[in-house]
Amino acid sequence: GAGVSQSPSNKVTEKGKDVELRCDPISGHTALYWYRQSLGQGLEFLIYFQGNSAPDKSGLPSDRFSAERTGGSVSTLTIQRTQQEDSAVYLCASRQPPGTSGRRSYNEQFFGPGTRLTVL
Amino acid sequence: GQQVMQIPQYQHVQEGEDFTTYCNSSTTLSNIQWYKQRPGGHPVFLIQLVKSGEVKKQKRLTFQFGEAKKNSSLHITATQTTDVGTYFCAVMTTDSWGKFQFGAGTQVVVTP
């Protein structure tokens, strides 16, 4: 596809269950981001991948959250033992490699449609 | 730590009026991006600013980066109902390579 895709689009789960959220970035985009957006709020940074490595995991709220990326493409965000406060829209974004014009040039982030997670 | 503030949080505008939303950082920025999120949608990139004092225009939208690279503004002239949505700034500091921090956003409501 031409854009970033995420699955599932909606996920309803019971408190204490584990969930996996998937992100398929745009082909060739080396950087991949996960954000969380609660109702009416801004975007909360969770984790960032450059290739398969995660230089910055500082935004993960707790050790119940983990993410991985394989083959420099698909990424999975896993939430273990979900809590009601985990309910939110989880957004994934991807970005082209930085420019090579001699100075840093960070291109736009392309967002997926998000996964709406509801923990009952 | 890094603080990003957007003001106002909420903007109610009459169609045809102008308004400005601001993004302020506590530290010097490497660059700043602006995004628009329509109700029920996902953020869509508008612009990126890199240079001190930079000004960029997109039709009725004017974006400015402060001389000290700590703040930015988005000015919309002759507001239309299509401008409804939440406008976010996303900042990258010189010591957070690759990572963007989003402001809380300015939610814009337009009255016909």
PDB file of all heavy atoms in Angstrom, chain B residues 26-56:
ATOM      1  N   SER B  26      11.212  25.308  26.057  1.00  0.00           N
ATOM      2  CA  SER B  26      12.117  25.773  27.106  1.00  0.00           C
ATOM      3  C   SER B  26      13.577  25.655  26.680  1.00  0.00           C
ATOM      4  O   SER B  26      14.464  26.204  27.335  1.00  0.00           O
ATOM      5  CB  SER B  26      11.879  24.979  28.398  1.00  0.00           C
ATOM      6  OG  SER B  26      12.050  23.589  28.160  1.00  0.00           O
ATOM      7  N   THR B  27      13.837  24.917  25.597  1.00  0.00           N
ATOM      8  CA  THR B  27      15.202  24.735  25.126  1.00  0.00           C
ATOM      9  C   THR B  27      15.291  25.033  23.634  1.00  0.00           C
ATOM     10  O   THR B  27      14.276  25.077  22.936  1.00  0.00           O
ATOM     11  CB  THR B  27      15.699  23.305  25.391  1.00  0.00           C
ATOM     12  OG1 THR B  27      14.826  22.374  24.730  1.00  0.00           O
ATOM     13  CG2 THR B  27      15.720  22.985  26.873  1.00  0.00           C
ATOM     14  N   THR B  28      16.499  25.230  23.176  1.00  0.00           N
ATOM     15  CA  THR B  28      16.728  25.532  21.760  1.00  0.00           C
ATOM     16  C   THR B  28      16.386  24.326  20.902  1.00  0.00           C
ATOM     17  O   THR B  28      16.731  23.184  21.244  1.00  0.00           O
ATOM     18  CB  THR B  28      18.199  25.926  21.530  1.00  0.00           C
ATOM     19  OG1 THR B  28      18.503  27.037  22.372  1.00  0.00           O
ATOM     20  CG2 THR B  28      18.430  26.313  20.073  1.00  0.00           C
ATOM     21  N   LEU B  29      15.728  24.595  19.808  1.00  0.00           N
ATOM     22  CA  LEU B  29      15.244  23.521  18.943  1.00  0.00           C
ATOM     23  C   LEU B  29      16.143  23.320  17.730  1.00  0.00           C
ATOM     24  O   LEU B  29      16.727  24.271  17.207  1.00  0.00           O
ATOM     25  CB  LEU B  29      13.821  23.820  18.482  1.00  0.00           C
ATOM     26  CG  LEU B  29      12.806  24.038  19.609  1.00  0.00           C
ATOM     27  CD1 LEU B  29      11.471  24.492  19.019  1.00  0.00           C
ATOM     28  CD2 LEU B  29      12.628  22.782  20.434  1.00  0.00           C
ATOM     29  N   SER B  30      16.218  22.082  17.290  1.00  0.00           N
ATOM     30  CA  SER B  30      16.896  21.764  16.041  1.00  0.00           C
ATOM     31  C   SER B  30      15.968  22.088  14.869  1.00  0.00           C
ATOM     32  O   SER B  30      16.375  22.699  13.879  1.00  0.00           O
ATOM     33  CB  SER B  30      17.281  20.290  16.032  1.00  0.00           C
ATOM     34  OG  SER B  30      17.775  19.910  14.769  1.00  0.00           O
ATOM     35  N   ASN B  31      14.740  21.647  14.985  1.00  0.00           N
ATOM     36  CA  ASN B  31      13.740  21.988  13.983  1.00  0.00           C
ATOM     37  C   ASN B  31      12.359  21.804  14.581  1.00  0.00           C
ATOM     38  O   ASN B  31      12.213  21.273  15.688  1.00  0.00           O
ATOM     39  CB  ASN B  31      13.900  21.130  12.720  1.00  0.00           C
ATOM     40  CG  ASN B  31      13.686  19.655  12.985  1.00  0.00           C
ATOM     41  OD1 ASN B  31      12.589  19.208  13.244  1.00  0.00           O
ATOM     42  ND2 ASN B  31      14.754  18.877  12.912  1.00  0.00           N
ATOM     43  N   ILE B  32      11.365  22.263  13.860  1.00  0.00           N
ATOM     44  CA  ILE B  32       9.998  22.154  14.330  1.00  0.00           C
ATOM     45  C   ILE B  32       9.102  21.798  13.158  1.00  0.00           C
ATOM     46  O   ILE B  32       9.320  22.262  12.034  1.00  0.00           O
ATOM     47  CB  ILE B  32       9.527  23.457  15.022  1.00  0.00           C
ATOM     48  CG1 ILE B  32       8.140  23.273  15.636  1.00  0.00           C
ATOM     49  CG2 ILE B  32       9.530  24.624  14.038  1.00  0.00           C
ATOM     50  CD1 ILE B  32       7.765  24.409  16.588  1.00  0.00           C
ATOM     51  N   GLN B  33       8.140  20.954  13.413  1.00  0.00           N
ATOM     52  CA  GLN B  33       7.153  20.588  12.411  1.00  0.00           C
ATOM     53  C   GLN B  33       5.762  20.953  12.935  1.00  0.00           C
ATOM     54  O   GLN B  33       5.539  20.979  14.140  1.00  0.00           O
ATOM     55  CB  GLN B  33       7.205  19.085  12.113  1.00  0.00           C
ATOM     56  CG  GLN B  33       8.534  18.621  11.533  1.00  0.00           C
ATOM     57  CD  GLN B  33       8.563  17.127  11.265  1.00  0.00           C
ATOM     58  OE1 GLN B  33       7.763  16.366  11.795  1.00  0.00           O
ATOM     59  NE2 GLN B  33       9.507  16.690  10.430  1.00  0.00           N
ATOM     60  N   TRP B  34       4.869  21.235  11.994  1.00  0.00           N
ATOM     61  CA  TRP B  34       3.474  21.492  12.330  1.00  0.00           C
ATOM     62  C   TRP B  34       2.599  20.443  11.654  1.00  0.00           C
ATOM     63  O   TRP B  34       2.833  20.090  10.485  1.00  0.00           O
ATOM     64  CB  TRP B  34       3.045  22.885  11.881  1.00  0.00           C
ATOM     65  CG  TRP B  34       3.557  23.994  12.751  1.00  0.00           C
ATOM     66  CD1 TRP B  34       4.729  24.678  12.616  1.00  0.00           C
ATOM     67  CD2 TRP B  34       2.899  24.570  13.897  1.00  0.00           C
ATOM     68  NE1 TRP B  34       4.840  25.625  13.608  1.00  0.00           N
ATOM     69  CE2 TRP B  34       3.733  25.585  14.395  1.00  0.00           C
ATOM     70  CE3 TRP B  34       1.682  24.317  14.552  1.00  0.00           C
ATOM     71  CZ2 TRP B  34       3.405  26.354  15.517  1.00  0.00           C
ATOM     72  CZ3 TRP B  34       1.345  25.078  15.646  1.00  0.00           C
ATOM     73  CH2 TRP B  34       2.196  26.077  16.132  1.00  0.00           C
ATOM     74  N   TYR B  35       1.597  19.969  12.398  1.00  0.00           N
ATOM     75  CA  TYR B  35       0.660  18.968  11.903  1.00  0.00           C
ATOM     76  C   TYR B  35      -0.771  19.438  12.158  1.00  0.00           C
ATOM     77  O   TYR B  35      -1.026  20.183  13.107  1.00  0.00           O
ATOM     78  CB  TYR B  35       0.862  17.621  12.603  1.00  0.00           C
ATOM     79  CG  TYR B  35       2.145  16.925  12.233  1.00  0.00           C
ATOM     80  CD1 TYR B  35       3.352  17.291  12.818  1.00  0.00           C
ATOM     81  CD2 TYR B  35       2.155  15.895  11.288  1.00  0.00           C
ATOM     82  CE1 TYR B  35       4.536  16.664  12.468  1.00  0.00           C
ATOM     83  CE2 TYR B  35       3.335  15.254  10.940  1.00  0.00           C
ATOM     84  CZ  TYR B  35       4.514  15.648  11.535  1.00  0.00           C
ATOM     85  OH  TYR B  35       5.681  15.009  11.185  1.00  0.00           O
ATOM     86  N   LYS B  36      -1.678  18.946  11.319  1.00  0.00           N
ATOM     87  CA  LYS B  36      -3.097  19.207  11.515  1.00  0.00           C
ATOM     88  C   LYS B  36      -3.823  17.869  11.642  1.00  0.00           C
ATOM     89  O   LYS B  36      -3.584  16.953  10.848  1.00  0.00           O
ATOM     90  CB  LYS B  36      -3.680  19.995  10.335  1.00  0.00           C
ATOM     91  CG  LYS B  36      -5.190  20.229  10.448  1.00  0.00           C
ATOM     92  CD  LYS B  36      -5.727  20.956   9.231  1.00  0.00           C
ATOM     93  CE  LYS B  36      -7.233  21.147   9.332  1.00  0.00           C
ATOM     94  NZ  LYS B  36      -7.785  21.830   8.128  1.00  0.00           N
ATOM     95  N   GLN B  37      -4.698  17.801  12.640  1.00  0.00           N
ATOM     96  CA  GLN B  37      -5.486  16.593  12.834  1.00  0.00           C
ATOM     97  C   GLN B  37      -6.965  16.958  12.797  1.00  0.00           C
ATOM     98  O   GLN B  37      -7.451  17.695  13.653  1.00  0.00           O
ATOM     99  CB  GLN B  37      -5.142  15.916  14.163  1.00  0.00           C
ATOM    100  CG  GLN B  37      -5.848  14.584  14.394  1.00  0.00           C
ATOM    101  CD  GLN B  37      -5.383  13.901  15.680  1.00  0.00           C
ATOM    102  OE1 GLN B  37      -4.928  14.546  16.620  1.00  0.00           O
ATOM    103  NE2 GLN B  37      -5.479  12.576  15.728  1.00  0.00           N
ATOM    104  N   ARG B  38      -7.652  16.458  11.782  1.00  0.00           N
ATOM    105  CA  ARG B  38      -9.094  16.685  11.703  1.00  0.00           C
ATOM    106  C   ARG B  38      -9.799  15.794  12.706  1.00  0.00           C
ATOM    107  O   ARG B  38      -9.273  14.730  13.080  1.00  0.00           O
ATOM    108  CB  ARG B  38      -9.599  16.382  10.294  1.00  0.00           C
ATOM    109  CG  ARG B  38      -9.092  17.340   9.244  1.00  0.00           C
ATOM    110  CD  ARG B  38      -9.666  17.010   7.865  1.00  0.00           C
ATOM    111  NE  ARG B  38      -9.140  17.879   6.840  1.00  0.00           N
ATOM    112  CZ  ARG B  38      -9.664  19.056   6.525  1.00  0.00           C
ATOM    113  NH1 ARG B  38     -10.720  19.497   7.184  1.00  0.00           N
ATOM    114  NH2 ARG B  38      -9.121  19.793   5.575  1.00  0.00           N
ATOM    115  N   PRO B  39     -10.987  16.157  13.151  1.00  0.00           N
ATOM    116  CA  PRO B  39     -11.728  15.310  14.090  1.00  0.00           C
ATOM    117  C   PRO B  39     -11.887  13.899  13.552  1.00  0.00           C
ATOM    118  O   PRO B  39     -12.314  13.691  12.410  1.00  0.00           O
ATOM    119  CB  PRO B  39     -13.081  16.029  14.192  1.00  0.00           C
ATOM    120  CG  PRO B  39     -12.773  17.462  13.895  1.00  0.00           C
ATOM    121  CD  PRO B  39     -11.688  17.425  12.860  1.00  0.00           C
ATOM    122  N   GLY B  40     -11.486  12.917  14.353  1.00  0.00           N
ATOM    123  CA  GLY B  40     -11.587  11.523  13.948  1.00  0.00           C
ATOM    124  C   GLY B  40     -10.469  11.043  13.036  1.00  0.00           C
ATOM    125  O   GLY B  40     -10.459   9.882  12.633  1.00  0.00           O
ATOM    126  N   GLY B  41      -9.554  11.932  12.699  1.00  0.00           N
ATOM    127  CA  GLY B  41      -8.485  11.563  11.776  1.00  0.00           C
ATOM    128  C   GLY B  41      -7.140  11.443  12.459  1.00  0.00           C
ATOM    129  O   GLY B  41      -7.034  11.494  13.680  1.00  0.00           O
ATOM    130  N   HIS B  42      -6.104  11.291  11.660  1.00  0.00           N
ATOM    131  CA  HIS B  42      -4.763  11.213  12.193  1.00  0.00           C
ATOM    132  C   HIS B  42      -3.992  12.457  11.786  1.00  0.00           C
ATOM    133  O   HIS B  42      -4.395  13.172  10.857  1.00  0.00           O
ATOM    134  CB  HIS B  42      -4.060   9.947  11.678  1.00  0.00           C
ATOM    135  CG  HIS B  42      -4.001   9.850  10.185  1.00  0.00           C
ATOM    136  ND1 HIS B  42      -5.005   9.280   9.443  1.00  0.00           N
ATOM    137  CD2 HIS B  42      -3.054  10.257   9.306  1.00  0.00           C
ATOM    138  CE1 HIS B  42      -4.682   9.325   8.169  1.00  0.00           C
ATOM    139  NE2 HIS B  42      -3.505   9.920   8.053  1.00  0.00           N
ATOM    140  N   PRO B  43      -2.888  12.766  12.481  1.00  0.00           N
ATOM    141  CA  PRO B  43      -2.128  13.978  12.154  1.00  0.00           C
ATOM    142  C   PRO B  43      -1.573  13.931  10.729  1.00  0.00           C
ATOM    143  O   PRO B  43      -1.088  12.898  10.268  1.00  0.00           O
ATOM    144  CB  PRO B  43      -1.003  13.970  13.180  1.00  0.00           C
ATOM    145  CG  PRO B  43      -1.512  13.141  14.309  1.00  0.00           C
ATOM    146  CD  PRO B  43      -2.346  12.084  13.667  1.00  0.00           C
ATOM    147  N   VAL B  44      -1.637  15.085  10.069  1.00  0.00           N
ATOM    148  CA  VAL B  44      -1.116  15.226   8.709  1.00  0.00           C
ATOM    149  C   VAL B  44      -0.105  16.370   8.706  1.00  0.00           C
ATOM    150  O   VAL B  44      -0.377  17.456   9.215  1.00  0.00           O
ATOM    151  CB  VAL B  44      -2.245  15.511   7.700  1.00  0.00           C
ATOM    152  CG1 VAL B  44      -1.671  15.777   6.315  1.00  0.00           C
ATOM    153  CG2 VAL B  44      -3.220  14.340   7.658  1.00  0.00           C
ATOM    154  N   PHE B  45       1.037  16.111   8.126  1.00  0.00           N
ATOM    155  CA  PHE B  45       2.141  17.069   8.095  1.00  0.00           C
ATOM    156  C   PHE B  45       1.750  18.319   7.318  1.00  0.00           C
ATOM    157  O   PHE B  45       1.151  18.248   6.236  1.00  0.00           O
ATOM    158  CB  PHE B  45       3.343  16.389   7.448  1.00  0.00           C
ATOM    159  CG  PHE B  45       4.547  17.257   7.240  1.00  0.00           C
ATOM    160  CD1 PHE B  45       5.440  17.482   8.271  1.00  0.00           C
ATOM    161  CD2 PHE B  45       4.797  17.834   6.002  1.00  0.00           C
ATOM    162  CE1 PHE B  45       6.578  18.259   8.073  1.00  0.00           C
ATOM    163  CE2 PHE B  45       5.916  18.616   5.796  1.00  0.00           C
ATOM    164  CZ  PHE B  45       6.817  18.821   6.828  1.00  0.00           C
ATOM    165  N   LEU B  46       2.122  19.492   7.875  1.00  0.00           N
ATOM    166  CA  LEU B  46       1.903  20.755   7.187  1.00  0.00           C
ATOM    167  C   LEU B  46       3.224  21.354   6.704  1.00  0.00           C
ATOM    168  O   LEU B  46       3.368  21.711   5.532  1.00  0.00           O
ATOM    169  CB  LEU B  46       1.207  21.763   8.113  1.00  0.00           C
ATOM    170  CG  LEU B  46      -0.219  21.417   8.558  1.00  0.00           C
ATOM    171  CD1 LEU B  46      -0.724  22.460   9.550  1.00  0.00           C
ATOM    172  CD2 LEU B  46      -1.149  21.339   7.355  1.00  0.00           C
ATOM    173  N   ILE B  47       4.197  21.478   7.632  1.00  0.00           N
ATOM    174  CA  ILE B  47       5.418  22.200   7.284  1.00  0.00           C
ATOM    175  C   ILE B  47       6.535  21.823   8.247  1.00  0.00           C
ATOM    176  O   ILE B  47       6.271  21.324   9.353  1.00  0.00           O
ATOM    177  CB  ILE B  47       5.166  23.733   7.344  1.00  0.00           C
ATOM    178  CG1 ILE B  47       6.123  24.492   6.454  1.00  0.00           C
ATOM    179  CG2 ILE B  47       5.271  24.250   8.765  1.00  0.00           C
ATOM    180  CD1 ILE B  47       5.666  24.562   5.018  1.00  0.00           C
ATOM    181  N   GLN B  48       7.766  22.061   7.824  1.00  0.00           N
ATOM    182  CA  GLN B  48       8.916  21.923   8.712  1.00  0.00           C
ATOM    183  C   GLN B  48       9.735  23.208   8.631  1.00  0.00           C
ATOM    184  O   GLN B  48       9.971  23.747   7.554  1.00  0.00           O
ATOM    185  CB  GLN B  48       9.789  20.738   8.308  1.00  0.00           C
ATOM    186  CG  GLN B  48      11.086  20.629   9.112  1.00  0.00           C
ATOM    187  CD  GLN B  48      11.838  19.354   8.871  1.00  0.00           C
ATOM    188  OE1 GLN B  48      11.504  18.310   9.402  1.00  0.00           O
ATOM    189  NE2 GLN B  48      12.864  19.439   8.035  1.00  0.00           N
ATOM    190  N   LEU B  49      10.183  23.695   9.786  1.00  0.00           N
ATOM    191  CA  LEU B  49      11.024  24.882   9.875  1.00  0.00           C
ATOM    192  C   LEU B  49      12.345  24.476  10.492  1.00  0.00           C
ATOM    193  O   LEU B  49      12.376  23.733  11.478  1.00  0.00           O
ATOM    194  CB  LEU B  49      10.347  25.956  10.724  1.00  0.00           C
ATOM    195  CG  LEU B  49       8.942  26.384  10.275  1.00  0.00           C
ATOM    196  CD1 LEU B  49       8.300  27.277  11.326  1.00  0.00           C
ATOM    197  CD2 LEU B  49       9.008  27.110   8.943  1.00  0.00           C
ATOM    198  N   VAL B  50      13.426  24.987   9.919  1.00  0.00           N
ATOM    199  CA  VAL B  50      14.757  24.598  10.371  1.00  0.00           C
ATOM    200  C   VAL B  50      15.623  25.808  10.737  1.00  0.00           C
ATOM    201  O   VAL B  50      16.381  25.770  11.711  1.00  0.00           O
ATOM    202  CB  VAL B  50      15.472  23.760   9.286  1.00  0.00           C
ATOM    203  CG1 VAL B  50      16.878  23.394   9.725  1.00  0.00           C
ATOM    204  CG2 VAL B  50      14.677  22.511   8.956  1.00  0.00           C
ATOM    205  N   LYS B  51      15.505  26.872   9.976  1.00  0.00           N
ATOM    206  CA  LYS B  51      16.408  28.017  10.140  1.00  0.00           C
ATOM    207  C   LYS B  51      15.845  29.062  11.098  1.00  0.00           C
ATOM    208  O   LYS B  51      14.634  29.322  11.128  1.00  0.00           O
ATOM    209  CB  LYS B  51      16.658  28.670   8.797  1.00  0.00           C
ATOM    210  CG  LYS B  51      17.323  27.782   7.766  1.00  0.00           C
ATOM    211  CD  LYS B  51      17.460  28.523   6.449  1.00  0.00           C
ATOM    212  CE  LYS B  51      18.095  27.654   5.378  1.00  0.00           C
ATOM    213  NZ  LYS B  51      18.156  28.358   4.073  1.00  0.00           N
ATOM    214  N   SER B  52      16.718  29.698  11.832  1.00  0.00           N
ATOM    215  CA  SER B  52      16.345  30.790  12.714  1.00  0.00           C
ATOM    216  C   SER B  52      15.652  31.893  11.926  1.00  0.00           C
ATOM    217  O   SER B  52      16.145  32.297  10.869  1.00  0.00           O
ATOM    218  CB  SER B  52      17.609  31.342  13.384  1.00  0.00           C
ATOM    219  OG  SER B  52      17.353  32.553  14.031  1.00  0.00           O
ATOM    220  N   GLY B  53      14.491  32.351  12.412  1.00  0.00           N
ATOM    221  CA  GLY B  53      13.775  33.434  11.760  1.00  0.00           C
ATOM    222  C   GLY B  53      13.048  33.040  10.484  1.00  0.00           C
ATOM    223  O   GLY B  53      12.486  33.888   9.795  1.00  0.00           O
ATOM    224  N   GLU B  54      13.036  31.759  10.172  1.00  0.00           N
ATOM    225  CA  GLU B  54      12.437  31.295   8.921  1.00  0.00           C
ATOM    226  C   GLU B  54      10.939  31.572   8.890  1.00  0.00           C
ATOM    227  O   GLU B  54      10.249  31.430   9.896  1.00  0.00           O
ATOM    228  CB  GLU B  54      12.694  29.795   8.772  1.00  0.00           C
ATOM    229  CG  GLU B  54      12.312  29.205   7.430  1.00  0.00           C
ATOM    230  CD  GLU B  54      12.811  27.766   7.268  1.00  0.00           C
ATOM    231  OE1 GLU B  54      13.190  27.140   8.282  1.00  0.00           O
ATOM    232  OE2 GLU B  54      12.821  27.284   6.122  1.00  0.00           O
ATOM    233  N   VAL B  55      10.451  31.970   7.728  1.00  0.00           N
ATOM    234  CA  VAL B  55       9.023  32.186   7.497  1.00  0.00           C
ATOM    235  C   VAL B  55       8.624  31.415   6.244  1.00  0.00           C
ATOM    236  O   VAL B  55       9.272  31.538   5.208  1.00  0.00           O
ATOM    237  CB  VAL B  55       8.680  33.676   7.317  1.00  0.00           C
ATOM    238  CG1 VAL B  55       7.176  33.841   7.030  1.00  0.00           C
ATOM    239  CG2 VAL B  55       9.075  34.482   8.553  1.00  0.00           C
ATOM    240  N   LYS B  56       7.579  30.620   6.366  1.00  0.00           N
ATOM    241  CA  LYS B  56       7.073  29.882   5.214  1.00  0.00           C
ATOM    242  C   LYS B  56       5.571  30.089   5.105  1.00  0.00           C
ATOM    243  O   LYS B  56       4.879  30.182   6.122  1.00  0.00           O
ATOM    244  CB  LYS B  56       7.376  28.385   5.336  1.00  0.00           C
ATOM    245  CG  LYS B  56       8.833  28.021   5.171  1.00  0.00           C
ATOM    246  CD  LYS B  56       9.011  26.511   5.109  1.00  0.00           C
ATOM    247  CE  LYS B  56      10.457  26.138   4.864  1.00  0.00           C
ATOM    248  NZ  LYS B  56      10.647  24.661   4.788  1.00  0.00           N
TER     249      LYS B  56
END
